[in-house]
Amino acid sequence: MDQRPNPDPGSKLPRTNLLLGGLTIGFVALAALFAKDPWGHVAPPQNIPLVDAKFLETTPWRRTYTDMVKAKEDMSDYDCYGCHEKNKPPPIRYDAKGKIVIPKEHSNIVMGHGSHDRNDLCYNCHNEQNLVTLQVRDGRELKFDNIPPLCGSCHGPTYRDWENGAHGRTSGNWDFSKGESTRLSCANCHNPHAPRIPTREPAPGPHPMRSAEKTSALTPTHH
Ligand code: HEC
Ligand code: HEC
Ligand code: HEC
Ligand code: HEC
């Protein structure tokens, strides 16, 4: 009779070692495979381009009368009575289509306030009785260094947004009680004579956590 010997309790040990050895070899082999990356599933390191410096530019687009005075620039354009006579408001001339004619002495001015030239009349803003001031709808006379209330007299809602910091740009402290804060004048961004702001290219959005090739189809091309 062929009788198998009783299993020796000591013989369990070599079988366990064999198993552990096998597992170790298996894991080492896997680690080597992953390191070699034969399937190419590991995303290549992303090359995230820096945002073009033009998007970080904080200099206002326009310089106002106030900025020019501060920088001691040539103010001859504002010397209205160097050319005009007191108490003789310059007459406004129109062409056959009813469009305002700009004299060559003021050829630096291109009028285009609103679609259909709705606010191109000089004396809607300039004071014909005193050319060196601006006139507001309610009769107030303003100096050239105080433009926002002039604009606000016709653009009430935008003016109130601006006053509260929702339109235009506030620099410094947002909490006015914590210290100084400055607000750009309307004329730092809008040309009073032609206030529409030209369309600008938007800055690129945040970079997604995906490789460049996979997202390239979603990213708009920049010129
Ligand atoms: C370099 C000289 C000069 C200066 C400085 C000057 N003007 Fe004139 N301006 C003229 C001349 C010339 C005309 C056309 C002749 C006329 O109608 O009296 C004119 C015309 C005008 C007109 C009529 C425009 C039109 O379309 O018919 C207005 C309004 C005016 N000027 C306002 C001003 C104001 C406001 C200032 C100052 C902020 C000023 N000017 C500074 C020379 C000047
Ligand atoms: C919507 C209001 C508005 C209208 C309309 C307007 N102006 Fe002005 N103008 C201003 C303001 C505000 C300034 C000061 C600009 C600044 O600080 O940048 C100014 C500046 C000027 C200046 C001095 C600076 C320069 O660019 O030469 C002249 C001259 C002038 N205006 C003439 C005119 C004439 C002429 C007309 C009509 C054809 C006219 N303006 C229509 C608001 C207006
Ligand atoms: C006398 C009234 C009056 C004053 C003062 C005035 N505006 Fe206007 N503004 C208008 C009218 C009217 C329009 C045209 C609205 C339309 O076409 O629907 C306009 C249009 C505009 C637009 C839109 C332009 C566009 O083409 O989309 C801007 C921006 C603007 N104004 C800014 C200003 C600024 C800045 C000032 C002060 C320098 C100012 N306005 C002063 C009456 C005024
Ligand atoms: C920091 C720049 C900046 C300043 C300061 C600023 N604006 Fe604007 N404003 C803009 C821009 C940008 C737009 C949007 C233009 C567009 O949508 O094409 C705009 C739009 C407008 C419009 C068009 C209607 C609207 O609300 O969309 C009006 C009117 C206007 N501004 C008036 C003013 C007045 C009045 C002031 C001052 C009290 C002022 N802005 C100050 C940048 C400025």
Side-chain angles (χ1 to χ4, degrees):
M1 239 200 214
D2 190 11
Q3 212 185 15
R4 279 171 125 196
N6 272 341
D8 171 7
S11 74
K12 264 195 182 145
L13 213 60
R15 274 178 68 190
T16 314
N17 283 345
L18 212 67
L19 187 73
L20 284 178
L23 277 174
T24 309
I25 291 165
F27 278 123
V28 168
L30 271 176
L33 255 179
F34 287 146
K36 238 188 132 223
D37 186 26
W39 307 285
H41 282 184
V42 175
Q46 296 185 34
N47 177 23
I48 302 176
L50 293 176
V51 170
D52 193 321
K54 75 180 172 199
F55 293 117
L56 309 174
E57 182 57 59
T58 55
T59 312
W61 298 319
R62 269 194 100 245
R63 298 165 58 68
T64 60
Y65 169 87
T66 315
D67 297 330
M68 290 170 70
V69 169
K70 263 193 210 143
K72 298 196 164 63
E73 284 174 31
D74 171 20
M75 301 306 290
S76 59
D77 278 350
Y78 288 94
D79 183 19
C80 315
Y81 289 120
C83 298
H84 294 288
E85 265 180 76
K86 291 234 163 112
N87 305 319
K88 251 183 99 183
I92 309 279
R93 295 190 178 84
Y94 302 92
D95 66 13
K97 285 188 192 138
K99 209 172 152 62
I100 205 155
V101 176
I102 309 292
K104 69 172 191 318
E105 284 78 3
H106 290 303
S107 60
N108 64 315
I109 296 174
V110 177
M111 280 314 292
H113 197 126
S115 44
H116 314 292
D117 310 327
R118 281 198 180 97
N119 186 35
D120 282 0
L121 185 60
C122 315
Y123 300 133
N124 279 355
C125 301
H126 292 279
N127 182 358
E128 64 262 60
Q129 307 306 334
N130 184 9
L131 290 177
V132 292
T133 61
L134 299 163
Q135 62 179 341
V136 185
R137 292 306 89 208
D138 61 15
R140 271 178 301 159
E141 214 175 324
L142 298 175
K143 299 234 169 79
F144 277 113
D145 62 5
N146 189 16
I147 295 170
L150 167 76
C151 314
S153 70
C154 293
H155 297 286
T158 315
Y159 181 72
R160 286 191 290 278
D161 284 352
W162 175 84
E163 269 192 309
N164 293 313
H167 187 98
R169 194 177 91 201
T170 303
S171 302
N173 285 282
W174 283 76
D175 183 347
F176 303 155
S177 67
K178 291 248 165 73
E180 209 200 323
S181 84
T182 51
R183 184 140 314 151
L184 288 181
S185 166
C186 314
N188 272 129
C189 300
H190 298 282
N191 178 344
H193 300 135
R196 167 167 285 161
I197 290 173
T199 309
R200 286 151 301 148
E201 179 198 347
H207 201 279
M209 295 275 289
R210 277 167 270 146
S211 73
E213 310 120 66
K214 281 184 189 157
T215 56
S216 61
L218 304 169
T219 315
T221 46
H222 296 286
H223 309 284

